[in-house]
Amino acid sequence: MKPNLTKTIALAVSLLAALPLIAQAAADSAAPPANAERLQWWRDARFGMFIHWGPISLKGTEIGWSRGAQVPSEEYDQLYQQFNPTNFNARQWVSIAKQAGMKYIVLTTKHHDGFCLWDTKLTDYNIMNTPFHRDVTRELADACRRQGIVFCAYHSICDWRHPDYPLGSPGGKSPKPDGNMDRYNQYLKGQLTELLKNYGPLGVLWFDGEWESPWTVARGEDLYRHCRSLQDSLIINNRVGKARDGMAGTTKQIHENPGDYDTPEQTVGKFQNQRPWETCMTICNQWAWKPNDPMKSLEQCLQTLVLCAGGDGNLLFNVGPMPDGRIELRQIARLQEMGAWLAEYGDAIYRTRGGPWKPTKSLASTRRDKSIFLHVFKWDGDSVTLPGLPAKVQRAEALTGGRAEFQQQSDKLVVSIPRANRQEIDTIIRLDFEQSVMDLRPVGFPSQIKATASNVYQHMDDYAAESAFDGNPDTRWATDDGTKQAWVALEFPAPTRISSVRINEALAPRVQKFEFQYREGDDWKTLFTGMELGANFKRSFEPVTARAVRLNILDATDGPTIAEIKLQ
Ligand code: H79
């Protein structure tokens, strides 16, 4: 009896341990779990089109945010009377998405400005009351269905124009004395009922504008249930809740918050294979159309897609159509280039999962069944060296041409192909194994940066010393609240000649007194001292050969935090 029982318990425990985090979260959260089959479809799709559009395209400023800022609210709110996109053609939009290799379209049915792109009965501020008089949401939803693309809706929770929503423009900064959130919530739910009943089934509901104080996790949960009760197969993003970690888009307190996936914005999400995620990013700089908005290169576009897939996430790539209803020709051309690449190499993107190697600036990996697709952006001399895997490579094939070679040892895998076969954007090598590679644990690359600090905010890796030297201004070294003195140091791999330094404090200037030092042998020597640093400190000095450098902060108003220290 006893051994069997132990076995049963051991089996149950191991089964429990194997349950994905999503299932655990669902079990704890009061909201029902996502429809697994639909979520799987969405993950496999990997690539979707985001469309930000509305009367504000007439001005070329940002949708929602420019209301009461660049464009006076009174003027903004009258623009719909001139909105007449006579060249709008839903079939063409869908064709463009399909040619790009995208599998779903997310349309801004309502942004923070409150304008409704469908025939809503709940407000007059909608597309039917423009000179255009056509329900573009209806037309797009129908065209999607006919052409085999999944139609999805973006919907802003905040509405800075609606008299009941308690906050107004600019950017939700002005409280409305007569706001009534309960009444607004009825309006919000009523509008979603219309969308789900008359335009569905929808693939995804993409909420946004949840961060303002009138929204609560209880309202989020109620809204999540409301939408799922109207369409059970609906996938809903994490912005329905209240736990998004800023633009990184991950979900804090995942157990208590509704929402099926994370939403990094204008940044590629970090490797995360325990919970689905989707980066949303613009093809130019603005979400809404802007004349001559600088556009991303094909290299940026494709590497972004590959980095998302390699991190086990989706990419929702945004276009802002022009006020006459057309998408810009140069944007169409770029999307077609992406589609042509995907037509050839989509096997290494669609229906894959990220890893096992976590993406770096130089490479990413995706996998399916018994194959890993290695995507190399930058070579390290003649080859790339990857951390070892507990599985034996049988074969390597360069999908982008040439003969791939590999050498496998217990601690590393070295892969190469002839220089002439390297692709400028992405050289793809498929590695075949005897068994499935889906259960191989994700492996990171050991950091090349040897940095240390006297104090790291809450001992969190995200704020480690390395973040001050990683060349990425979006990451920072941070110290605990109230810290007045702290140092951060960098060890060079070999003695290095330096003659200038740039230092960028993150957030507000806090440093009040510091010394900048270097080490040749055993002792730190001071190169210079100063009082304030701020966001843009620069200093040149007599060249020295250093083994290490150190910023020693002697006084600060609060815990110092540094985005970058760059040496030359
Ligand atoms: O629709 C597009 C943008 O108009 C919209 N989201 C994409 C999809 C957008 N909403 N907010 N922003 C863009 C930037 C806002 C950032 C902030 Fe915050 C709002 C900073 C502080 C409050 C949310 C909460 C992000 C960080 C904390």
Side-chain angles (χ1 to χ4, degrees):
M1 226 6 232
K2 211 175 171 196
N4 269 347
L5 183 65
T6 318
K7 247 191 199 165
T8 316
I9 291 170
L11 182 69
V13 168
S14 65
L15 278 176
L16 272 178
L19 269 181
L21 202 75
I22 328 163
Q24 276 176 34
D28 290 16
S29 159
N35 178 309
E37 201 182 310
R38 289 306 289 161
L39 197 57
Q40 187 60 45
W41 166 82
W42 180 79
R43 284 187 121 173
D44 287 349
R46 278 296 183 240
F47 192 26
M49 176 183 269
F50 215 168
I51 302 180
H52 275 65
W53 199 41
I56 193 58
S57 57
L58 287 160
K59 296 298 274 188
T61 57
E62 191 58 292
I63 191 166
W65 294 91
S66 66
R67 184 178 185 272
Q70 292 87 344
V71 182
S73 296
E74 306 70 44
E75 185 188 351
Y76 193 115
D77 297 346
Q78 298 306 316
L79 287 169
Y80 77 105
Q81 296 180 1
Q82 304 160 43
F83 189 51
N84 194 11
T86 48
N87 289 322
F88 168 72
N89 182 331
R91 196 174 42 78
Q92 262 170 20
W93 283 14
V94 177
S95 299
I96 293 163
K98 285 192 78 165
Q99 284 170 35
M102 293 156 160
K103 307 293 186 194
Y104 54 102
I105 291 181
V106 184
L107 174 71
T108 49
T109 55
K110 185 192 85 174
H111 204 267
H112 315 328
D113 60 19
F115 182 76
C116 299
L117 272 181
W118 80 100
D119 182 7
T120 174
K121 304 299 176 219
L122 301 176
T123 173
D124 290 337
Y125 192 46
N126 76 63
I127 189 75
M128 303 313 282
N129 294 317
T130 65
F132 196 49
H133 299 299
R134 273 164 57 186
D135 185 346
V136 303
T137 301
R138 159 105 300 128
E139 292 183 27
L140 190 63
D142 289 351
C144 282
R145 239 151 256 142
R146 271 197 297 271
Q147 293 167 251
I149 279 248
V150 175
F151 179 70
C152 309
Y154 167 104
H155 201 84
S156 174
I157 285 171
C158 70
D159 183 334
W160 297 326
R161 176 185 170 280
H162 197 286
D164 287 338
Y165 185 77
L167 302 171
S169 297
K173 291 209 188 82
S174 63
K176 291 175 202 155
D178 300 326
N180 182 330
M181 193 56 189
D182 284 335
R183 215 159 54 202
Y184 176 76
N185 202 36
Q186 287 309 311
Y187 171 76
L188 179 67
K189 285 167 79 173
Q191 293 212 307
L192 287 157
T193 305
E194 286 184 346
L195 286 168
L196 285 160
K197 279 201 170 157
N198 307 334
Y199 300 81
L202 304 180
V204 167
L205 250 180
W206 212 106
F207 286 109
D208 198 7
E210 87 293 11
W211 63 85
E212 295 186 332
S213 55
W215 198 244
T216 60
V217 66
R219 289 195 194 276
E221 211 175 278
D222 176 57
L223 184 59
Y224 183 98
R225 282 178 186 287
H226 173 72
C227 295
R228 287 287 300 274
S229 75
L230 291 162
Q231 185 198 318
D232 186 51
S233 63
L234 191 63
I235 300 296
I236 303 176
N237 71 349
N238 68 340
R239 300 192 186 185
V240 69
K242 264 313 254 198
R244 167 165 61 114
D245 190 6
M247 302 298 259
T250 47
T251 309
K252 301 177 282 183
Q253 300 103 35
I254 185 174
H255 299 277
E256 293 103 57
N257 267 276
D260 305 325
Y261 68 90
D262 291 350
T263 52
E265 179 166 331
Q266 297 288 38
T267 177
V268 172
K270 277 195 176 174
F271 184 93
Q272 175 179 290
N273 67 355
Q274 300 290 294
R275 178 173 159 86
W277 61 270
E278 171 192 68
T279 278
C280 58
M281 194 179 278
T282 49
I283 192 167
C284 295
N285 287 336
Q286 225 175 243
W287 293 97
W289 180 73
K290 175 180 180 175
N292 305 312
D293 199 2
M295 185 171 67
K296 293 189 171 72
S297 66
L298 180 61
E299 183 179 51
Q300 286 174 301
C301 294
L302 284 177
Q303 290 184 354
T304 299
L305 175 62
V306 173
L307 285 168
C308 287
D312 208 28
N314 285 21
L315 174 64
L316 183 61
F317 207 40
N318 181 76
V319 296
M322 295 186 282
D324 73 350
R326 289 173 307 155
I327 295 173
E328 272 189 18
L329 275 179
R330 62 178 181 142
Q331 297 185 17
I332 298 174
R334 179 69 81 246
L335 293 172
Q336 284 171 340
E337 289 175 311
M338 294 183 83
W341 184 88
L342 276 163
E344 202 148 350
Y345 306 117
D347 194 42
I349 300 290
Y350 303 120
R351 291 177 295 106
T352 63
R353 299 290 307 268
W357 293 290
K358 295 183 183 175
T360 68
K361 279 183 192 150
S362 314
L363 62 86
S365 63
T366 53
R367 52 179 152 170
R368 185 188 324 102
D369 303 331
K370 297 178 186 173
S371 298
I372 297 176
F373 302 93
L374 178 64
H375 301 258
V376 184
F377 311 142
K378 280 192 207 86
W379 294 82
D380 192 9
D382 283 334
S383 57
V384 286
T385 302
L386 303 145
L389 286 183
K392 199 166 170 324
V393 181
Q394 304 287 321
R395 223 163 73 88
E397 190 180 326
L399 301 189
T400 41
R403 231 187 70 166
E405 311 259 358
F406 68 94
Q407 278 187 338
Q408 188 167 22
Q409 293 165 16
S410 62
D411 63 333
K412 65 178 177 188
L413 176 67
V414 182
V415 178
S416 62
I417 65 157
R419 272 173 192 262
N421 295 115
R422 289 184 192 170
Q423 306 296 305
E424 224 159 84
I425 295 182
D426 182 14
T427 305
I428 310 175
I429 295 160
R430 199 191 65 224
L431 304 170
D432 295 327
F433 296 76
E434 209 148 68
Q435 276 157 11
S436 168
V437 290
M438 301 315 283
D439 291 333
L440 293 178
R441 278 166 165 270
V443 230
F445 284 73
S447 171
Q448 307 295 325
I449 305 167
K450 272 181 96 180
T452 45
S454 59
N455 174 304
V456 169
Y457 178 74
Q458 312 233 332
H459 302 286
M460 286 168 71
D461 286 349
D462 281 359
Y463 299 109
E466 185 184 324
S467 298
F469 301 102
D470 62 0
N472 180 357
D474 296 334
T475 62
R476 59 193 171 95
W477 164 60
T479 53
D480 286 320
D481 293 341
T483 304
K484 303 268 179 206
Q485 293 178 342
W487 57 258
V488 62
L490 175 72
E491 195 93 20
F492 294 115
T496 302
R497 200 172 151 84
I498 51 169
S499 58
S500 73
V501 63
R502 285 163 176 267
I503 304 175
N504 312 108
E505 270 193 81
L507 312 182
R510 290 178 177 171
V511 175
Q512 302 260 287
K513 190 175 179 202
F514 69 92
E515 49 191 12
F516 193 76
Q517 303 171 306
Y518 79 106
R519 190 163 54 70
E520 251 177 335
D522 291 337
D523 301 324
W524 289 106
K525 294 179 185 155
T526 297
L527 274 163
F528 60 88
T529 59
M531 304 304 274
E532 273 150 27
L533 282 173
N536 258 314
F537 179 87
K538 281 181 230 166
R539 179 76 176 255
S540 298
F541 42 82
E542 279 301 306
V544 292
T545 300
R547 302 197 73 93
V549 291
R550 176 165 88 168
L551 171 66
N552 192 19
I553 297 162
L554 301 165
D555 192 20
T557 53
D558 199 351
T561 177
I562 306 284
E564 272 319 296
I565 301 179
K566 200 165 181 250
L567 292 142
Q568 268 185 334

